[in-house]
Each structure stands twice: as structure tokens, then as C-alpha cells.
Amino acid sequence: MSSNKQRKSRQDAERQQLEREQQRLAAVRRRRTALLSILSAVVGVVVVVGLLAILTRGGDEPDEGTQPPQVQDTSMLEEEAAGEAQGAAVNEAMAAGEVVAEDFTVEPGTAVDSGIKPPRDDRPVACGAKAPANARATRPRFPGGPAQVLEGGVDYVARITTSCGPIVIDLLEKDAPVAVNSFVFLARQGFYDGLEVFRDYGAIAAVEAGSGDNTVGWDAGYQLPDELDLAEREGYPVGTVTTAGLGQPYTAGSGFFIAYGKEFDSGFATNRVQTSFGRVLSGMDVIATMTAMERLGMGGESFAKRLFLEKVVIEER
């Protein structure tokens, strides 16, 4: 079989696998919608029964000095039902290794204004570059999770233009499809454009970027599952791009690390907690330029000059 036929056969197989996965996700969403409908119906029954009880008592003459019956506030019941439905959806998503959305009733990919801007910063920009026009733009959150954007049989590459030069990353959609889908979705939304490489986490030899307010506390509106098979097989070699979780399952969102030293692998040697979803193809010299810069403060994690992700472009191969 020729190489072209082999490639087409592989792409067809991957496309069919993706279609099956999308059908499975659609079935999961239908089950969650049905659960929400059932719980809403239960709330409705409770409300009707409560109102009937009140109306039934309404015909009786109240004793002197007694207060008339109060209409029961049903908002608490509705909130409890919604909370139970969300909790059930979260448990189901975690059991299936899927994204945990802040609100499963929101359509995936729906942007909500966070109202949060990166703080004003008067530091000069590194490498003689200028701050992007959108450096202080408000970043959206996605409480329903990212939309599904990956296609079967496609190899994804990210080209990142930074203040100090380009970085090209091969995205590992086969090993970490959920994390790559999130990254590709956010990049195509323009979410990363104008954000900073805001931290050099020297203790583990990695730079960090991708936070909507250039801090470690950003909440994207959803959390990613751990996809750790590749990390457990190969560790975290220099040039690995990973999620930037907090060391526990379902704490990763939009942020990411780029490992520039062996300390990243050794630091997580006994506990592979970050999903590997990319490999730097070119641009480690740009990372070296960043990590050689002066720092601020005693901790030494903040750069003396600002480093921007000017543009993140996704290419398909």
C-alpha cells in the first residue's frame, strides 16, 4: 500500500474514532439534560403540592390571634434541585474523564465576560518589543466548557509569536485530546493573544503563561481532566508543554507550562500530575532568552520586563 493510501486509511480511522467520541459526548449531554428536566419536574410537583395545601387551608377560619399561612418560597427548592443536577453532571464527567464545566446547562463554547482585566503594569517590554493593543483587554470565561473543535486525522501545530521571537509547538492531540481541544479552542477565540509569559517557575524549570489575568489564580470557567499516559511513559523532557494545574486532579484550565530544564521531570518524578499536550519544535532559544532576563522581588519568579504572547495561531497539517 502506498504512503498516500496508508495516510488516508489512518485519517479515515481517526475521523471515525472522533465521530464515535462526539456521538458518545452527545449522548452524555442528552442524559444530563434529561436529569435536569426530571429534577425540574420534581420541583414543580413539590411547588404544586405546597400551593394546594395552602389553598386547602385557606377556606378555614383562622383562630383569633393566629397568623394567616405564608406562601412558601420555592426558590430554595429550585436552587437545591439545580445544585443536585450540577453535582450529578460533575460526577458523571469526572468518571468519564471529561471536562468539568462550571455550569452544565450552558452551551459549550459560550463566552461570558469575566469583567477582569490584567492589572496595569508600567514595566518595559522585553526584547525591544511593544505591548499589544489588547494587553489589558477583559478576558472571557467559558462556564459551559470549550466547544469541540478537533477533527479526526488532523495534526495540530501552534505558532506563538512572543515579544522575543517565535515558538512552534506540535500539539499532541492523540495523547491529550481534551487538553489540546481546549488549547485550540481558546487560541482560535483569540484568548491567548496579548497575555503574558508572567512567571518563571525556577524550582521546576518552567515558564508559565495562558492565564486570563496573568496570575496563577485565573478561573477559565471549567477544569480539565488529567491525561497522564504520555507523562507516565516518557516523563517531561525539556521542551514539553503541559497544563498548569495545582497538583490535584481537575485543577487545570487555560494556563500552561513550557519546561526548559530537567528539574521539571525530576520535580514530578513520583507524581505525574500535569498533562503533556505539546512539544516545542523550535523556539527553545526564545525561552532561553526569557529565562536569562532580570527578575523582580526576592522570589525571582517575575520578570523585570514584560513578555507577551502577541499572537497564537493554530495550523492544521
Side-chain angles (χ1 to χ4, degrees):
M1 183 181 293
S2 68
S3 59
N4 288 337
K5 289 183 178 179
Q6 289 176 334
R7 186 182 303 107
K8 186 177 185 302
S9 177
R10 184 175 64 254
Q11 290 176 342
D12 289 342
E14 291 174 353
R15 187 176 296 107
Q16 291 172 2
Q17 181 180 0
L18 179 62
E19 289 174 353
R20 288 194 296 270
E21 177 66 12
Q22 290 174 336
Q23 291 171 357
R24 186 182 69 82
L25 290 174
V28 169
R29 293 191 185 101
R30 287 195 296 271
R31 289 198 300 272
R32 289 172 186 159
T33 301
L35 177 61
L36 289 169
S37 300
I38 292 170
L39 288 172
S40 297
V42 170
V43 171
V45 171
V46 171
V47 171
V48 170
V49 170
L51 290 175
L52 287 174
I54 292 171
L55 292 173
T56 301
R57 291 198 303 270
D60 299 332
E61 291 294 330
D63 295 335
E64 186 176 352
T66 62
Q67 296 294 324
Q70 301 295 317
V71 177
Q72 185 177 7
D73 183 6
T74 61
S75 61
M76 185 175 296
L77 293 174
E78 294 172 356
E79 290 177 3
E80 290 178 356
E84 290 176 1
Q86 174 68 16
V90 167
N91 291 336
E92 185 175 2
M94 293 179 71
E98 299 170 358
V99 170
V100 167
E102 180 179 282
D103 186 348
F104 278 104
T105 65
V106 176
E107 183 71 18
T110 302
V112 175
D113 186 1
S114 68
I116 300 174
K117 293 182 178 181
R120 187 176 299 279
D121 194 327
D122 295 328
R123 287 176 299 158
V125 181
C127 300
K130 295 181 179 180
N134 60 348
R136 295 204 66 235
T138 300
R139 306 294 161 168
R141 299 174 68 253
F142 298 90
Q148 180 65 36
V149 296
L150 296 190
E151 298 179 6
V154 177
D155 182 30
Y156 293 87
V157 172
R159 291 189 178 273
I160 304 177
T161 303
T162 77
S163 301
C164 294
I167 300 172
V168 181
I169 299 171
D170 179 24
L171 299 175
L172 308 177
E173 63 280 344
K174 294 180 182 179
D175 296 290
V178 180
V180 171
N181 183 76
S182 171
F183 185 88
V184 171
F185 167 76
L186 292 174
R188 287 178 173 171
Q189 294 289 313
F191 175 86
Y192 291 119
D193 300 347
L195 293 180
E196 292 186 42
V197 181
F198 65 92
R199 184 188 190 196
D200 179 3
Y201 199 169
I204 58 172
V207 293
E208 184 173 356
S211 166
D213 61 355
N214 298 323
T215 74
V216 296
W218 174 257
D219 180 4
Y222 61 89
Q223 290 80 43
L224 299 174
D226 291 340
E227 300 170 277
L228 303 177
D229 288 350
L230 179 61
E232 290 173 351
R233 291 197 314 269
E234 301 180 6
Y236 300 113
V238 172
T240 298
V241 183
T242 77
T243 54
L246 302 178
Q248 298 293 330
Y250 284 98
T251 58
S254 62
F256 59 93
F257 289 125
I258 301 179
Y260 62 81
K262 295 180 180 179
E263 293 86 349
F264 196 87
D265 181 63
S266 60
F268 294 112
T270 60
N271 190 17
R272 305 300 193 189
V273 294
Q274 307 295 357
T275 296
S276 299
F277 71 89
R279 293 277 193 268
V280 174
L281 297 177
S282 64
M284 289 306 296
D285 57 327
V286 176
I287 301 295
T289 298
M290 295 179 181
T291 58
M293 290 173 52
E294 294 182 6
R295 310 305 170 84
L296 295 176
M298 295 296 292
E301 293 185 356
S302 298
F303 297 101
K305 295 183 179 181
R306 305 178 76 183
L307 291 159
F308 286 100
L309 307 176
E310 296 178 355
K311 187 73 175 176
V312 179
V313 176
I314 302 298
E315 296 180 354
E316 298 181 2
R317 296 181 176 179

